Amino acid sequence: MAASLTTHVLDTTQGCAASNMAIELWLLEPESGNKKLLKKVCTNANGRTDRPLLSEGELAIGVYELVFAVGDYFAQKSDAIATPPFLDRVPVQFGIADPTAHYHVPLLASPWAYSTYRGS
């Protein structure tokens, strides 16, 4: 697979793809503590983004953060979600060391827990 950054989100409560979840992609600058917003996207019906978050040529060595709007997503799905929600915005920080590689950062989420890993 070509160099890129992709993600997908699974709703582990319903056992399905998490469609229409907002995601932000940030570039972090550890020395200054600054963050730069690179993209805002929403997942499609398959819980994925329509295009890679970063494609070949856009991928660069650095520290990034995906912020998943888990609270808003589950609030749309159920009236039983507390206010404020237990999980709201879920940040996942990760490093890109090889800009020629494919990085896949999936999120498995419920209103009360989440997990992630480097996928393929």
Side-chain angles (χ1 to χ4, degrees):
M1 177 168 264
S4 62
L5 170 63
T6 58
T7 189
H8 77 270
V9 186
L10 299 175
D11 175 340
T12 59
T13 302
Q14 300 297 316
C16 63
S19 63
N20 201 34
M21 182 181 289
I23 303 170
E24 298 171 353
L25 173 62
W26 295 83
L27 175 62
L28 306 181
E29 298 170 358
E31 297 81 31
S32 67
N34 292 332
K35 295 168 66 169
K36 178 182 176 186
L37 180 62
L38 300 178
K39 289 190 180 169
K40 286 184 178 184
V41 296
C42 281
T43 57
N44 60 25
N46 295 321
R48 299 176 183 272
T49 58
D50 290 332
R51 288 178 285 299
L53 296 165
L54 296 174
S55 298
E56 193 167 3
E58 296 177 308
L59 219 54
I61 294 172
V63 178
Y64 294 82
E65 182 176 75
L66 287 171
V67 180
F68 298 88
V70 171
D72 289 344
Y73 169 81
F74 284 108
Q76 295 170 18
K77 299 290 179 188
S78 171
D79 293 335
I81 301 301
T83 303
F86 180 70
L87 292 176
D88 191 13
R89 293 172 48 84
V90 172
V92 177
Q93 286 187 18
F94 57 95
I96 291 181
D98 180 0
T100 66
H102 172 67
Y103 288 82
H104 184 66
V105 183
L107 185 77
L108 289 74
S110 81
W112 309 278
Y114 67 91
S115 64
T116 189
Y117 55 94
R118 181 173 178 189
S120 57

